[in-house]
C-alpha cells in the first residue's frame, strides 16, 4: 500500500458512491487502483505518464479523471460524503470560516481558449479561470470551511478576481440534503471572514441572509466613520473571541495545498482544475 493510497476504511466510505458501468462501450476496470493512481498523481504533481505501473495504465487514470471531471462525478461524490456526515451530526456549522488562496499556473496550463466557450457545448465552461495577477498567471480558490477544517464549498476564479465578489456565490454553493423529506440546509448561522470582506456592502449582504458576520473593522472604514462624527454611526459589532476560530480556513487551505497538483495548476482546462480541487476535498472529508 502506497503512502497516498486510500485505506480500507476510507474505501468503504467511497465505494458505494462511484457510478456504474457506462451504457455504451467497455465496462470500467476496478475503481480502487485507478482512484489510487489519480491520488498519487495529484499528491505528487508528477506528469500523468509517470504514474507507477502498480496502478495500471496511466491512460486509464487520465481518462477516468477527465471523464468524471466533465460529467460532475467528483462533485457528486463530495456532496454525498457531506450529506452522510451531516446526517450523523458531524458537521460543525457554527465554526464556519471563509477565505481564498492563489495558485500559480504552470506553463503547461497556458494555451487554453481566451474567449469564453459557447454555451450549450457539452463539457464546455464559460471560463478557464486563468488571469494575470502579481506578474504571472494565477487561479484563485475560494473556500468555505466548517469548524472541523473540512471544506463545505469551493469555487475557482481567475487570479485577479476580487475576494468579496465571490462571497454570495460561495454561500450559494452550500446545499446539504437531509435524510428524508425536507429542504436542504443552505444557511450558516455565522461566518468568520477577514478585513477584505469587511465593507458595509458585504456586511449587509450577510445580514440580509440572517448570517452573523464576524469581521474586524477596516482601518479606512474606521477613519471615514470617525471623520463623519456622530453621523458616522456606531462601529460594527465585532466578537474578538469568535474571530479566533477563523484559523480553521487557513488550516484547511494548507491541507488542500498538500496536493502539489493543486498548489501549482498544471491543468489547462478549467473543469480539470476544478476536479483537482474536488478530489482534494473528498480526501479531506475522509
Amino acid at each position: 500500500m502506497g503512502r497516498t493510497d486510500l485505506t480500507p476504511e476510507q474505501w468503504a466510505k467511497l465505494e458505494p458512491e462511484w457510478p456504474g458501468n457506462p451504457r455504451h462501450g467497455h465496462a470500467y476496470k476496478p475503481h480502487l487502483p485507478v482512484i489510487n493512481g489519480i491520488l498519487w498523481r495529484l499528491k505528487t504533481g508528477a506528469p500523468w505518464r509517470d504514474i507507477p505501473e502498480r496502478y495500471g495504465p496511466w491512460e486509464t487514470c487520465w481518462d477516468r479523471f477527465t471523464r468524471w471531471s466533465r460529467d460532475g462525478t467528483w462533485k457528486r461524490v463530495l456532496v454525498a460524503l457531506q450529506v452522510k456526515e451531516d446526517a450523523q451530526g458531524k458537521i460543525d456549522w457554527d465554526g464556519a470560516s471563509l477565505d481564498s488562496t492563489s495558485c500559480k499556473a504552470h506553463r503547461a496550463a497556458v494555451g487554453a481558449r481566451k474567449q469564453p466557450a459557447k454555451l450549450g457545448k457539452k463539457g464546455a465552461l464559460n471560463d478557464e479561470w486563468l488571469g494575470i495577477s502579481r506578474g504571472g498567471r494565477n487561479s484563485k480558490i475560494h473556500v468555505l470551511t466548517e469548524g472541523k477544517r473540512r471544506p463545505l464549498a469551493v469555487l475557482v476564479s481567475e487570479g485577479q478576481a476580487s475576494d468579496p465578489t465571490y462571497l454570495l456565490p460561495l454561500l450559494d454553493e452550500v446545499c446539504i440534503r437531509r435524510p428524508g423529506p425536507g429542504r436542504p440546509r443552505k444557511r450558516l448561522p455565522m461566518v468568520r471572514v477577514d478585513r477584505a470582506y469587511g465593507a458595509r456592502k458585504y456586511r449587509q449582504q450577510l445580514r440580509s441572509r440572517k448570517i452573523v458576520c464576524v469581521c474586524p473593522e477596516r482601518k479606512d472604514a474606521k477613519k471615514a466613520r470617525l471623520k463623519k462624527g456622530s453621523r458616522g454611526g456606531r462601529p460594527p459589532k465585532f466578537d474578538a473571541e469568535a474571530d479566533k476560530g477563523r484559523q480553521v480556513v487557513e488550516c484547511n487551505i494548507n491541507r488542500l495545498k498538500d496536493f502539489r497538483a493543486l498548489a501549482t495548476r498544471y491543468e489547462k482546462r478549467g473543469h480539470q482544475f476544478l476536479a483537482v480541487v474536488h478530489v482534494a476535498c473528498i480526501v479531506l472529508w475522509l
Side-chain angles (χ1 to χ4, degrees), residues 14-32:
L14 276 181
E15 189 173 10
E17 308 303 335
W18 302 118
N21 292 322
R23 296 179 60 184
H24 304 287
H26 296 286
Y28 283 131
K29 292 184 178 180
H31 286 313
L32 180 57

Side-chain angles (χ1 to χ4, degrees), residues 131-170:
I132 296 179
S133 176
R134 297 186 179 181
R137 294 194 175 273
N138 291 268
S139 292
K140 186 176 286 187
I141 303 175
H142 306 264
V143 185
L144 175 61
T145 305
E146 51 97 47
K148 296 181 180 178
R149 306 176 184 180
R150 297 175 298 184
L152 279 175
V154 290
L155 286 177
V156 179
S157 70
E158 59 275 9
Q160 77 275 13
S162 172
D163 290 357
T165 57
Y166 282 82
L167 174 62
L168 293 186
L170 192 58

Side-chain angles (χ1 to χ4, degrees), residues 29-64:
K29 292 184 178 180
H31 286 313
L32 180 57
V34 177
I35 300 301
N36 283 334
I38 293 173
L39 290 180
W40 182 91
R41 188 265 167 178
L42 300 188
K43 268 285 190 178
T44 61
W48 287 98
R49 294 175 182 271
D50 292 343
I51 293 178
E53 295 181 358
R54 65 177 180 270
Y55 300 121
W58 70 268
E59 296 94 337
T60 303
C61 297
W62 179 86
D63 179 74
R64 194 85 49 97

